[in-house]
Amino acid sequence: MRQFEKSFLQQEALPEAAIESAVEIMRSGRLHRYDATPDNPGPTALLESEFAAYQGSSYCLACASCGYALYVAMLAAGVKPGDVVLCNAFTLAPVPGAINNCGAIPLLVETSSGLTIDLYDLEAKADQADFLLLSHMRGHLADMDQIATICQRYKITLIEDCAHSLGAWWGDQRSGNFGEVSCFSTQSYKHLNSGEGGLLVTDNPELIAKAIILSGSYMLYDRHLAAPDPSEMTRFAKTTPNYSGRMDNLRATVLRAQLPELDTNCARWNQRYAVITEVLAKVPVIELPDRNQQERFVGSSIQFLLPGLTQLQMTAFVSDCASRGIQLKYFGSEEPHGYTSRYDSWEYLGQSYILPATQQRLNCLVDMRISLTFNLDDCRLIAEIISEVATAHG
Ligand SMILES: Cc1ncc(COP(=O)(O)O)c(C=O)c1O
């Protein structure tokens, strides 16, 4: 029986330029973002400018994580304790966690056959909230034209969670350019790797001013480059608390070195994704989620469903794949583990959600990382092993 030997968790090494610049920063001792000089704004401020330019946004703030960036984004957008925030039911724990951190209440929305937020359920619940935290979970983009229409109709402020959609587009607009504010993750298993990190972008000067101060600017906000005039920030300096969560120069410098390679890497992920889907699409028991023509996603992971299998059979399928070296994550497990906590394990929210469509999809949904350390032959082998195991269980 064929076996896959490589690790699903192994990342590619960082580019040499990242390693060299990290060593340089460590030699300088200037790790704190505000340890800058008049002629050298430091890598964090430069990263913010470069990322804003990449994204086509006016402003950017680098944070300690995407979960933190989402928290600050919501506060700066006006989310208050007790507010209701609409959010996908199919997302990962940091998303409801960020809402909870604001003292707000997530109102979970059902999942479509494309694994995006269900637009009918969203519209049905839209009059109950002023905010939507839209998670482009695993890089699946909802119909952004319809999302924009619903948000306009119900006067909802859109916050995009682009942790999994950096480099993706909806039509001719980048994911992250639809919301009032959007957040990206640079945690190791995302599209840029600094171990941990988050990037917040917006075109709203008041929102970024508040976000910068919330992130802990120690009244040094005039050192930001991807920011409005300091007078804009002075307006909020005394009325906005410091919830320290800055990015440091070490992480920023390794991210700067990766940014020029981002689009090439997105294309490399898509090549691997195409090889895997070509094989899986031919397996009768496997269903691939719908993808809209407008969606130009980044295939850094793949999700598929086996709707004919019971939860018990799904568990056996995942375990048989594991015994042949294929690490799949199963979203239907009763108990959360790995990265797969699901809505019914967020007991701290104190709500019981009835989400039959989401439940049905998660019960037969598996998820697999696509590492750039896999070559195209690896991807073919992975898909063929999955196909063999699925066919045996089907
Ligand atoms: C969908 C989603 N949103 C947000 C986050 C938060 O990212 P971070 O780990 O950088 O806080 C994650 C992290 O895995 C995620 O999966």
Side-chain angles (χ1 to χ4, degrees), residues 18-79:
I19 297 166
E20 279 164 24
S21 68
V23 170
E24 204 179 299
I25 289 289
M26 288 190 283
R27 290 222 163 93
S28 77
R30 294 181 181 274
L31 271 70
H32 176 59
R33 71 162 296 161
Y34 295 120
D35 192 353
T37 55
D39 56 328
N40 180 4
T44 311
L46 290 170
L47 170 70
E48 288 166 342
S49 287
E50 288 158 6
F51 190 75
Y54 172 86
Q55 189 58 30
S57 300
S58 307
Y59 310 117
C60 176
L61 171 69
C63 300
S65 72
C66 175
Y68 177 84
L70 288 169
Y71 162 61
V72 159
M74 282 186 279
L75 292 181
V79 174

Side-chain angles (χ1 to χ4, degrees), residues 252-324:
T253 205
V254 302
L255 290 171
R256 287 187 71 207
Q258 290 169 61
L259 204 47
E261 296 182 8
L262 176 58
D263 287 339
T264 307
N265 283 340
C266 291
R268 291 172 66 215
W269 266 306
N270 285 347
Q271 282 177 323
R272 285 154 180 76
Y273 184 94
V275 169
I276 297 172
T277 43
E278 196 193 339
V279 176
L280 296 190
K282 295 186 191 127
V283 184
V285 288
I286 288 183
E287 187 182 301
L288 294 168
D290 301 336
R291 291 272 195 192
N292 192 299
Q293 291 279 315
Q294 295 267 78
E295 196 190 355
R296 291 157 62 194
F297 59 93
V298 181
S300 54
S301 69
I302 182 163
Q303 295 68 43
F304 55 91
L305 303 103
L306 293 100
L309 268 56
T310 63
Q311 279 172 281
L312 219 59
Q313 289 170 321
M314 286 297 298
T315 308
F317 162 73
V318 170
S319 133
D320 287 355
C321 284
S323 68
R324 293 184 61 183

Side-chain angles (χ1 to χ4, degrees), residues 65-67 70 91-92 94-95 135 137 161 163-164 185 187 190 197:
S65 72
C66 175
L70 288 169
T91 186
L92 287 173
V95 180
S135 196
M137 176 62 175
D161 164 26
H164 302 169
S185 175
Q187 179 253 27
K190 307 298 191 323

